[in-house]
Amino acid sequence: MSIPVDLARTLAVILDEGTLEAAARRLHVTPSAVSQRVRALEARLGRVVLVRTKPVRATEAGQAVVRLARQLDLLEHDALAGIGSDEAATAVVPLAVNADSLATWFLPPLARVAERHRVVFQLHRDDQDFTAGLLESGTVMGAITSREAPVAGCRVRAVGVLRYEAVASAEFARRWFPDGVDGDALAQAPVVDFDRRDDLQSRWLADQAPAGSPPRHLVPASHDFATAIRLGLGWGLLPPFQSEEHVRSGELVLLGGAPVDVPLFWQQWNLTSPLLDEIADEVVQEGARVLAAA
């Protein structure tokens, strides 16, 4: 049994777009035609590949088909580029990355690759503890993740350590920590979390005030998260390259305690692709330059 390439690619487009209607617009066909292709693929495989929720999601069988479609597209691009063909299409490379890396160091290596190749990147932002799941589902080809154990069918390289330190605005510290940063004060002082998955502040707080349960702001954007801390909404953890300048100016103060280190790894499909390997090399080299050593 073989998997028709056009049907596999259609499924990948559906997953990218989120609905059959949006996929139809991108493919320049009717939604009915897209639905018929899905049914034909399911009949061919004898398995359901798509759950028609909003957005749609792939079943385990569908994820395998999507991985195949993305791998074929990448290999085709590499082959055409290798023979110097002017018909080599622009490669579409979906990647997953955590918000702080995206906001600080991850884009420059991608820009260098884009200067040399016809490539566009589709970036999926998620917590570093969850980006590996996007590799498993076939949504992305490579990911920055905190997971060291390789995802099935992937290989892994260490990138570096993203180090976080607890900081607060000088005015916030004067208001909430007049007698110093201690457990009693931390139990009352508001915290800024990135989102409900963000456990960095909780990890630091567990060492300083294990019983503390302070009020929490949620600010789910890296730049805005740092701004919220500087404006005095609460204290939080920032990497040094987001806080050092403001600490030197006196706008922010360090709250002490041990930093929280988050080791980062690059995982990518275990696929022989010069383009994907070049992306990996640039990302890993940039990580070695700007992050703490693993």
Side-chain angles (χ1 to χ4, degrees):
M1 178 178 64
S2 61
I3 300 174
V5 174
D6 60 330
L7 300 184
R9 285 172 167 159
T10 296
L11 183 63
V13 171
I14 295 170
L15 268 294
D16 286 341
E17 297 297 327
T19 67
L20 272 66
E21 292 76 14
R25 289 192 293 270
R26 177 169 157 187
L27 295 169
H28 305 292
V29 297
T30 65
S32 176
V34 172
S35 183
Q36 289 172 14
R37 292 182 189 182
V38 174
R39 287 198 296 270
L41 179 60
E42 290 177 334
R44 181 84 175 218
L45 299 177
R47 290 175 173 82
V48 174
V49 298
L50 192 70
V51 180
R52 288 169 171 77
T53 52
K54 287 191 176 181
V56 296
R57 59 184 177 86
T59 64
E60 186 173 348
Q63 291 172 4
V65 173
V66 170
R67 282 195 297 272
L68 171 65
R70 300 198 196 283
Q71 289 171 355
L72 288 173
D73 285 345
L74 185 61
L75 291 174
E76 181 180 69
H77 173 272
D78 286 337
L80 290 172
I83 63 177
S85 173
D86 293 333
E87 297 182 4
T90 299
V92 179
V93 180
L95 304 173
V97 60
N98 61 305
D100 284 337
S101 292
L102 178 59
T104 53
W105 66 272
F106 190 70
L107 290 177
L110 302 189
R112 290 193 290 270
V113 174
E115 288 176 354
R116 300 190 294 266
H117 299 280
R118 296 174 61 182
V119 56
V120 293
F121 298 102
Q122 295 179 343
L123 300 184
H124 298 253
R125 189 190 68 188
D126 206 342
D127 186 272
Q128 62 271 359
D129 292 337
F130 298 93
T131 49
L134 296 172
L135 277 169
E136 292 173 321
S137 68
T139 303
V140 301
M141 300 177 181
I144 294 293
T145 174
S146 60
R147 179 170 164 179
E148 183 175 8
V151 171
C154 294
R155 60 181 185 265
V156 59
R157 296 168 66 179
V159 174
V161 173
L162 196 50
R163 176 162 292 164
Y164 293 86
E165 296 175 314
V167 296
S169 73
E171 179 58 34
F172 181 93
R174 282 192 291 270
R175 177 184 176 188
W176 290 96
F177 308 125
D179 300 318
V181 181
D182 57 28
D184 290 339
L186 286 169
Q188 304 297 322
V191 182
V192 182
D193 285 330
F194 184 83
D195 58 23
R196 297 189 188 283
R197 288 178 165 182
D198 178 14
D199 69 345
L200 290 176
Q201 285 68 226
S202 295
R203 289 164 59 182
W204 185 86
L205 190 63
D207 288 335
Q208 310 300 319
S213 183
R216 295 176 179 268
H217 301 283
L218 297 181
V219 184
S222 287
H223 173 77
D224 298 332
F225 176 85
T227 300
I229 295 172
R230 293 200 302 272
L231 290 175
L233 280 181
W235 65 267
L237 273 74
L238 292 175
F241 37 77
Q242 280 189 308
S243 63
E244 280 178 340
E245 177 182 347
H246 303 286
V247 170
R248 286 196 298 269
S249 71
E251 184 180 5
L252 292 178
V253 295
L254 295 170
L255 300 185
V260 175
D261 285 346
V262 178
L264 296 178
F265 302 89
W266 168 260
Q267 294 213 30
Q268 70 181 67
W269 289 346
N270 192 15
L271 184 70
T272 302
S273 165
L275 176 59
L276 194 55
D277 288 345
E278 188 170 333
I279 294 168
D281 289 342
E282 287 285 0
V283 167
V284 171
Q285 289 167 15
E286 185 75 7
R289 187 179 70 81
V290 303
L291 300 177

